[in-house]
């Protein structure tokens, strides 16, 4: 099963990477009460880049009080290089053996390439999709708290959310 963004049509909006330590995450709910193991996390890269850039995938628990990202739940770091191709970029995290929680979770990315090393026209541009009501995408700068960014709105004043998803392996009948 794939849970999260399902691409529909042409991507009109994008979010650019913003240097080392910058994190972005989107909440993915467990509306269907799915039990299973997370096998991969994916995000939609709108354009190719000339050079690869380093990122770290993030799985983050949800704070039940204010619905913001709370704590990273990946037990070990997995750093990958991406950027030379566009489209859905799938990151295999099956070896972490993590269960998709009933309360859902945040899926995100941490950018690890120094901002000075990344030319403006060579940044990772991740797809965004508008939603009418949901405010699921949060950002965090190194040393700061998680916040809903005011700049993630389209011309119709809808919230824009990261195109990101997880793949879950679940036993039949669960």
């Amino acid at each position: 099963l794939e849970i999260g963004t399902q691409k529909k049509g042409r991507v009109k909006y994008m979010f650019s990477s913003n240097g080392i330590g910058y994190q972005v995450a989107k909440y993915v709910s467990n509306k269907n009460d799915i039990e299973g193991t997370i096998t991969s996390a994916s995000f939609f890269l709108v354009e190719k880049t000339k050079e690869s850039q380093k990122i770290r995938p993030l799985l983050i628990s949800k704070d039940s009080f204010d619905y913001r990202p709370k704590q990273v739940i990946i037990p070990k770091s997995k750093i990958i290089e991406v950027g030379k191709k566009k489209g859905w970029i799938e990151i295999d995290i099956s070896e972490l053996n993590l269960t998709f929680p009933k309360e859902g979770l945040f899926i995100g990315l941490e950018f690890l390439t120094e901002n000075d090393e990344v030319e403006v026209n060579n940044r990772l541009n991740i797809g965004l999709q508008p939603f009418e009501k949901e405010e699921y995408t949060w950002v965090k700068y190194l040393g700061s708290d998680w916040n809903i960014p005011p700049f993630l709105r389209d011309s119709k004043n809808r919230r824009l959310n990261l195109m990101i998803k997880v793949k879950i392996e679940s036993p039949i009948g669960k």
Side-chain angles (χ1 to χ4, degrees):
L1 302 168
E2 285 187 346
I3 301 176
T5 305
Q6 304 301 319
K7 183 176 177 245
K8 296 173 185 159
R10 194 175 135 261
V11 179
K12 296 193 303 187
Y13 306 99
M14 59 189 162
F15 175 88
S16 291
S17 59
N18 205 11
I20 196 162
Y22 189 66
Q23 298 176 350
V24 61
K26 176 189 172 191
Y27 177 69
V28 175
S29 65
N30 192 350
K31 292 176 186 169
N32 299 321
D33 259 355
I34 293 167
E35 294 178 13
T37 304
I38 302 169
T39 59
S40 68
S42 303
F43 65 96
F44 192 82
L45 197 56
V46 178
E47 301 168 339
K48 292 188 227 181
T49 59
K50 292 181 222 163
E51 302 292 325
S52 291
Q53 294 177 43
K54 292 180 182 174
I55 62 165
R56 179 188 339 252
L58 301 171
L59 298 177
I60 306 166
S61 64
K62 174 180 71 82
D63 188 310
S64 56
F65 177 70
D66 63 5
Y67 297 94
R68 71 176 53 226
K70 185 176 181 180
Q71 181 177 355
V72 174
I73 56 176
I74 292 181
K76 60 181 179 180
S77 272
K78 179 166 187 145
I79 297 172
I80 62 165
E81 290 194 21
V82 298
K84 289 191 173 185
K85 67 176 191 167
K86 66 180 184 175
W88 283 104
I89 307 297
E90 186 172 6
I91 304 164
D92 181 353
I93 54 174
S94 57
E95 76 276 2
L96 300 177
N97 202 27
L98 296 170
T99 302
F100 189 69
K102 288 198 181 270
E103 66 273 7
L105 52 73
F106 283 89
I107 309 162
L109 302 169
E110 179 178 11
F111 303 101
L112 301 173
T113 303
E114 288 278 353
N115 205 13
D116 297 342
E117 295 174 12
V118 182
E119 298 173 24
V120 173
N121 62 355
N122 196 38
R123 292 194 179 166
L124 295 175
N125 292 313
I126 300 166
L128 295 168
Q129 282 194 319
F131 292 93
E132 295 296 337
K133 299 173 186 169
E134 296 136 343
E135 297 184 341
Y136 287 154
T137 297
W138 295 68
V139 297
K140 181 180 191 242
Y141 294 94
L142 197 58
S144 72
D145 291 330
W146 285 99
N147 290 294
I148 295 174
F151 57 84
L152 287 182
R153 294 193 183 276
D154 74 354
S155 59
K156 295 177 185 157
N157 209 27
R158 296 176 295 184
R159 295 297 307 177
L160 297 174
N161 286 288
L162 280 182
M163 291 180 67
I164 202 159
K165 60 187 173 184
V166 288
K167 200 177 278 185
I168 297 167
E169 225 172 62
S170 180
I172 295 174
K174 293 276 182 177

